[in-house]
Amino acid sequence: MRRLVFLAPTVSQVNSVVADFLAVGIEDESIHFIAEDESLIEKISARAATDIETTERENDLDWGMVAGGSFGLAAGLVATTVLGPVGSVVSGGTVVVSSILGIGLGGWLGKLVGEDTPVHLLAKYKHALQQGGVLVMVDIPAERMTETHKLIRQHCPKALVEIIHLHWDHQQAA
């Protein structure tokens, strides 16, 4: 999946683009809006972007889990070294348990930090959003990018259209 992000200067342009999106089969759940003035979202009669689209929660959760797991692994190795040779089962268990606790604690702390961190993308559009623009985010499959980009250009010819590769697009190893 890819996320196309563009700024529409007026509500009428947003309504036109969204009508075309829906006409070509892009689902309503795939379209997200951010506006400084909440009444603009109501005029579009669409749903506003959620915390997942507007904060770094998921990204910080992932990094917190990596950092916490690494710290937990290191702490477990240090603990087995300090405790001395108490047996490979106890030492291995200590390393595994401390790693799992580190992953959990790091993920939790990362999520807490990410909830209060706005997405870096929003800083770029802050001035335009304060002027009454609407930031539109559309999640689409990679093969529909050209078609969707043309629809955006029909209604917002001067809009900067950015493409963001969503991290959950990659196939997971089994």
Side-chain angles (χ1 to χ4, degrees):
M1 292 289 279
R2 303 288 194 271
R3 177 171 286 165
L4 290 179
V5 178
F6 67 96
L7 183 73
T10 66
V11 173
S12 63
Q13 287 175 317
V14 174
N15 284 329
S16 301
V17 172
V18 170
D20 282 355
F21 285 165
L22 297 174
V24 297
I26 295 175
E27 298 174 3
D28 189 36
E29 296 85 31
S30 300
I31 306 169
H32 316 288
F33 303 96
I34 299 174
E36 188 79 19
D37 183 10
E38 292 295 323
S39 66
L40 292 177
I41 300 293
E42 293 169 8
K43 290 179 185 175
I44 301 169
S45 69
R47 67 181 191 94
T50 63
D51 286 344
I52 291 180
E53 288 93 25
T54 60
T55 63
E56 292 285 350
R57 181 190 317 175
E58 286 186 36
N59 192 32
D60 288 353
L61 171 78
D62 294 344
W63 280 109
M65 290 172 65
V66 169
S70 300
F71 183 76
L73 176 65
L77 291 173
V78 167
T80 58
T81 306
V82 170
L83 293 177
V86 292
S88 60
V89 173
V90 173
S91 298
T94 302
V95 171
V96 169
V97 167
S98 64
S99 296
I100 291 172
L101 288 173
I103 290 170
L105 182 62
W108 177 68
L109 289 172
K111 179 179 172 281
L112 289 178
V113 169
E115 286 177 342
D116 293 333
T117 307
V119 137
H120 66 280
L121 180 74
L122 295 180
K124 180 182 340 183
Y125 294 104
K126 185 175 184 171
H127 182 70
L129 290 172
Q130 289 173 344
Q131 298 296 322
V134 178
L135 190 65
V136 182
M137 298 183 283
V138 186
D139 300 334
I140 56 167
E143 57 272 3
R144 296 195 70 186
M145 281 180 34
T146 306
E147 168 193 10
T148 309
H149 192 270
K150 287 179 184 177
L151 289 174
I152 294 168
R153 284 281 175 236
Q154 287 176 358
H155 300 285
C156 302
K158 294 183 180 181
L160 169 66
V161 180
E162 294 187 70
I163 301 168
I164 300 171
H165 184 84
L166 297 176
H167 70 289
W168 41 266
D169 183 34
H170 301 293
Q171 285 185 334
Q172 300 295 316

